[in-house]
């Protein structure tokens, strides 16, 4: 009996070890491959400082086709055009903020992955905490109301079972005693 239990647990441990090894292999392949940026070598600027600024700007800009990727990560033709436009504006002498302002004026604030905090999008920033607050208040009021109703029912003596309910409960309890 003891040997069978030991063999069972040994096989479980082998299976778990194989699963962990497979997961480690998958994670290591993901980490080794790294982020595959869509920036092509012909887009890159020769000046390393300007290229770093271009990468910094394009990490914060949304691909308008993919919508949840930065233009740096997207391979869409529009993302390519936006990357080229960012680099053209930087080589012409614009600051990082001027490039972002140009793109926001041209495509709207949707082009930014992280929207700015302004009166125009105050509802966007306030909606999450507001829903959380209203949900918390609703739960609090629900439980408070139920507690008050239970206290009132107990005080007025309405917590007793009806005749039918009591008979049914007695039947269930008597069946349990017989077994």
């Amino acid at each position: 009996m003891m040997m069978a239990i030991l063999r069972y647990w040994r096989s479980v441990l082998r299976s778990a070890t194989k699963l962990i090894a497979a997961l480690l292999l998958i994670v290591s392949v993901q980490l080794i491959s790294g982020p595959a940026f869509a920036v092509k070598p012909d887009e890159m600027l020769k000046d390393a400082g300007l290229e770093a600024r271009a990468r910094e700007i394009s990490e914060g800009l949304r691909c308008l086709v993919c919508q949840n990727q930065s233009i740096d990560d997207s391979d869409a033709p529009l993302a390519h055009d936006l990357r080229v436009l960012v680099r053209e504006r930087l080589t012409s002498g614009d600051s990082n903020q001027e490039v972002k302002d140009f793109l926001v004026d041209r495509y709207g604030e949707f082009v930014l992955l992280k929207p700015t905090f302004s009166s125009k999008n105050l509802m966007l920033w306030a909606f999450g905490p507001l829903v959380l607050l209203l949900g918390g208040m609703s739960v609090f009021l629900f439980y408070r109301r139920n507690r008050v109703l239970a206290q009132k029912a107990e005080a007025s003596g309405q917590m007793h079972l009806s005749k039918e309910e009591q008979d049914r409960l007695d039947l269930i309890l008597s069946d349990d005693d017989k077994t």
Side-chain angles (χ1 to χ4, degrees):
M1 174 77 170
M2 186 59 109
M3 292 302 285
I5 293 172
L6 287 174
R7 273 186 262 144
Y8 169 76
W9 282 109
R10 191 176 302 144
S11 68
V12 168
L13 286 174
R14 273 192 226 123
S15 299
T17 305
K18 288 178 184 177
L19 179 65
I20 290 171
L23 289 174
L24 286 174
L25 179 66
I26 291 170
V27 169
S28 62
V29 167
Q30 290 290 329
L31 291 175
I32 290 171
S33 67
F37 292 112
V39 178
K40 295 173 181 63
D42 62 330
E43 296 175 11
M44 292 183 184
L45 298 172
K46 290 182 172 107
D47 183 7
L50 281 179
E51 180 61 29
R53 285 177 55 202
R55 288 287 179 105
E56 180 184 332
I57 293 170
S58 58
E59 283 176 359
L61 297 175
R62 179 187 318 272
C63 173
L64 300 173
V65 176
C66 308
Q67 295 190 5
N68 282 333
Q69 281 185 317
S70 70
I71 62 171
D72 234 7
D73 297 332
S74 175
D75 206 19
L78 181 60
H80 166 75
D81 294 343
L82 287 174
R83 287 191 302 266
V84 170
L85 181 63
V86 165
R87 284 162 174 78
E88 286 174 358
R89 300 291 296 191
L90 286 175
T91 54
S92 68
D94 287 358
S95 70
N96 291 8
Q97 191 58 45
E98 288 173 335
V99 173
K100 285 182 185 177
D101 290 343
F102 175 78
L103 291 169
V104 168
D105 288 343
R106 193 169 190 182
Y107 297 103
E109 199 164 328
F110 182 72
V111 78
L112 299 176
L113 277 172
K114 294 179 183 174
T116 58
F117 187 77
S118 65
S119 60
K120 288 188 283 185
N121 58 16
L122 180 63
M123 190 61 179
L124 173 70
W125 287 97
F127 188 72
L130 184 66
V131 167
L132 186 63
L133 182 67
L134 289 175
M137 285 177 49
S138 299
V139 168
F140 172 75
L141 292 175
F142 174 77
Y143 282 112
R144 183 175 165 206
R145 180 175 163 254
N146 282 350
R147 186 179 48 159
V148 168
L149 289 175
Q151 288 172 350
K152 284 182 182 179
E154 188 177 335
S156 66
Q158 295 178 354
M159 294 296 285
H160 300 289
L161 297 176
S162 68
K163 176 73 172 132
E164 292 173 359
E165 292 171 333
Q166 187 64 48
D167 291 341
R168 191 165 165 215
L169 180 61
D170 291 339
L171 179 66
I172 291 170
L173 291 175
S174 67
D175 286 342
D176 283 346
D177 289 340
K178 291 178 183 174
T179 58

